[in-house]
Amino acid sequence: MGAADRNGQPGAAGRAPAADHPGKVRNVVLVGHSGAGKTTLVEALALTTGAVNRAGRVEDGGSVSDHDEIEQRQGRSVQLSLVPVEWDGIKVNVLDTPGYADFVGELRAGLRAADAALFVVSAAQDGEGVGGATRMVWEECAAVGMPRAVVVTHLESARAGFEETAAQVARELGGDDPDAVLPLYLPVHGPAGPDGHAPVTGLAGLLTRRVYDYSSGERAEREPPEELLPLLARSRDRLIEGIIAESEDETLMDRYLGGEDVDVGTLVADLERAVARGTFHPVLAAAPAAAGARQGLGTVELLELVTGGFPTPLERTVPPVTARDGGRTTVTCDPDGPLAAEVVKTSSDPYVGRLSLVRVFSGTLRPDDTVHVAGHGMEDRGHEDHDVDERVGALTSPFGSHQRPVPSAAAGDLVCVAKLARAETGDTLSGADRPLLMEPWQMPDPLLPVAIEAHSKADEDKLSQGLSRLVAEDPTMRLEQNRATGQVVLWCMGEAHADVALERLRGRYGVRVDAVPYRVPLRETFGRPAAARGRHVKQSGGHGQFAICEIEVEPLPAGSGIEFVDRVVGGAVPRQFVPSVEKGVRAQAARGVAMGFPVVDIRVTLSDGKAHSVDSSDAAFQTAGALALREAAAGCRIDLLEPVSEVGVLVPDAYVGPVMSDLSARRGRVLGTEPAGPGRTLVRADVPEIEIGRYAVDLRSLAHGTGRFSRHYARHEPMPAALAAKLREQGATSAAAR
């Protein structure tokens, strides 16, 4: 790496980087909040490696900055993108993830596909710095031992503060060991301009005590200025102690404290091993490429860390794999081993069709191979379970909106696969002769409901196919056909996620839909016992219709459903028509008796009735049974029942009070709290579903992006009389308007 004073060689522009062995691959995911500078950093890396020219293009016209229409319109990344570059003979697959919380599914896919994470933090004082969401992802990476480094961006900003940002990074991400998160370089500032701002012109390597000057647009090496030496010495001592603390050589610390000048090569080797193990996390500095510059400030140092310090796929454990019979099998990162690959992203290209971004964990994938496609189903999210063989289409390496052909993809690499019609995000690709299934990665539950309707009859005909394609691309989205309300509901991660989904339906699949108010599935029940007669008597020539039944209705405990009891004596209602009365009662109960919601938790007793030897029929008694239930409801108090969910809210301790207050304001009953790891608490509560329709959005604001929640249906409970009366009034107004 830069500290060892070696300059890597860029790849050639216009060709796809290639790697025939896992040791020549590095898979790195960029993590950071929206606006931290991830995409700009990727563009600078592409320029430094020669993947693009100074105009940001390659020979075939592609650009790393090519975005889809939605990203161009919104001015932010909304999907995972892969940019492969080459440095010093190493292929670096850079996975750029969206920074907005709604697209956490894209981030999860990037983490699955990568072997190391690069956290991007803005040094601008008006930026977010290390936000709560960034800390959460850092902790998740730590839990699985993923190597991590930090790059501080926006150094060109007049309000940038590298030292302050590096200190915050060590404090917020270092936890109990801030000395494991330390800078490798310090910014070097040039002369101050008329506005008093001194631009960053280079970086001072703490280990080499050399300055890497970018002021000319090309990286040059020189001696550090005198005024920087004291700060350089202090920072260098701390860095060396941090590296030695992670060294496998237990004598090194004693030798260093005894005054021995440890060789830089030894320090760099120990640093690289500690980074690859995930026990030391270097902090680097970077800025976008200046106009006309070939190398962006800090990009060479960053590439040297990635190629020298980040692990190869050989050093990472392949996710657990099972065989078709369910038995666990061992798979390693071996190009000659059995094929085990995973679809980490699915998208649609207007010219190529469906494209699957695939991480190859074992074996080698080639065009025209027949592979076995297996999925986990996730039927609750609209994903069908499948177990089929498919033929692989062309293999390509993406670059912006362009796809460049590649001959094969060996274990450890990432590649785009065309024409996998059945494969969805999260599916496993394996050899047709040896089907395998990889353990799925964790996906968050979508908790924001968006009810939709087709805009026109033409859209209605295309809606089902468009929705199935949409959810195939995005496993964080769940499609629900709500039988209780008759609505089509897309469950999304947030408002931005929903907006992108509806826009993709329109732009990609030609389906226009309208968002309509989401209806919570309420129910009705009788508030007290009631009795009524259902009389259906008509005579209009020929056979008439005659049926009379008398019923008694009484409420039952919650969860009882509907009971029907026959207590007719003397044959007042002939035996063959008793089931007809029950059928009519149940049909009316399903339609509702007050506001159109299903009636539950009642016992209906048929006590008496009358029949006619000629005019009575099954249909007549069904109608009489329905009329009797409506008549009983007309003279009785009908209660509305609302669904109540068991809610678990996981937040940092600092937000427990505000969260509990907010839940209480939503008519929730807080059941208790319990510790959920260092500095975090789980709040459990029962909350009416009508109050948490937008809780996914509101919690993000309340806990500054650091909270998560789960919800599970618990039961239906009576709605407060005042709220029920308000709903009845709204329903009457809507009916009058129609």
Side-chain angles (χ1 to χ4, degrees), residues 508-525:
R508 189 173 290 176
Y509 303 120
V511 182
R512 294 181 302 164
V513 297
D514 299 319
V516 297
Y518 171 69
R519 296 197 296 270
V520 172
L522 303 179
R523 296 174 183 173
E524 301 173 352
T525 193

Side-chain angles (χ1 to χ4, degrees), residues 208-358:
T208 60
R209 288 175 284 202
R210 303 287 288 175
V211 167
Y212 305 98
D213 189 358
Y214 285 82
S215 59
S216 66
E218 299 285 342
R219 185 176 185 264
E221 185 180 330
R222 61 179 176 82
E223 293 287 337
E226 283 289 331
E227 63 272 15
L228 187 62
L229 291 178
L231 177 60
L232 198 63
R234 290 194 302 272
S235 300
R236 185 177 192 271
D237 288 343
R238 187 181 180 193
L239 173 62
I240 291 176
E241 291 178 7
I243 294 172
I244 292 176
E246 302 297 335
S247 175
E248 296 176 354
D249 185 349
E250 298 179 357
T251 69
L252 196 57
M253 180 64 78
D254 291 336
R255 287 155 46 198
Y256 172 72
L257 295 177
E260 180 179 329
D261 188 10
V262 182
D263 177 66
V264 171
T266 300
L267 292 172
V268 170
D270 280 342
L271 170 64
E272 291 179 344
R273 282 192 290 268
V275 171
R277 289 197 309 267
T279 58
F280 188 84
H281 317 290
V283 179
L284 295 91
R294 187 184 71 80
Q295 296 174 335
L297 188 149
T299 53
V300 171
E301 289 74 19
L302 179 55
L303 286 163
E304 289 173 344
L305 171 70
V306 168
T307 55
F310 279 171
T312 71
L314 293 167
E315 300 171 74
R316 303 295 295 161
T317 303
V318 175
V321 176
T322 56
R324 171 175 272 178
D325 60 6
R328 183 66 60 89
T329 184
T330 301
V331 174
T332 60
C333 184
D334 179 3
D336 298 322
L339 179 64
E342 189 170 39
V343 179
V344 294
K345 178 179 173 58
T346 310
S347 60
S348 296
D349 185 278
Y351 305 104
V352 181
R354 179 177 288 189
L355 276 176
S356 302
L357 177 60
V358 173

Side-chain angles (χ1 to χ4, degrees), residues 651-672:
V651 290
D653 294 343
Y655 298 109
V656 171
V659 164
M660 292 176 67
S661 297
D662 180 72
L663 291 173
S664 297
R666 297 173 186 270
R667 298 190 287 121
R669 294 189 297 274
V670 176
L671 303 177

Side-chain angles (χ1 to χ4, degrees), residues 593-608:
V593 294
M595 294 184 61
F597 300 114
V599 178
V600 296
D601 301 335
I602 58 171
R603 177 184 291 122
V604 178
T605 301
L606 177 61
S607 57
D608 202 356

Side-chain angles (χ1 to χ4, degrees), residues 706-730:
T706 62
R708 299 177 184 173
F709 84 103
S710 61
R711 55 184 286 180
H712 303 282
Y713 169 77
R715 59 193 170 276
H716 273 69
E717 290 184 353
M719 179 181 289
L723 182 56
K726 183 178 179 180
L727 287 180
R728 289 191 182 94
E729 182 180 343
Q730 292 174 349

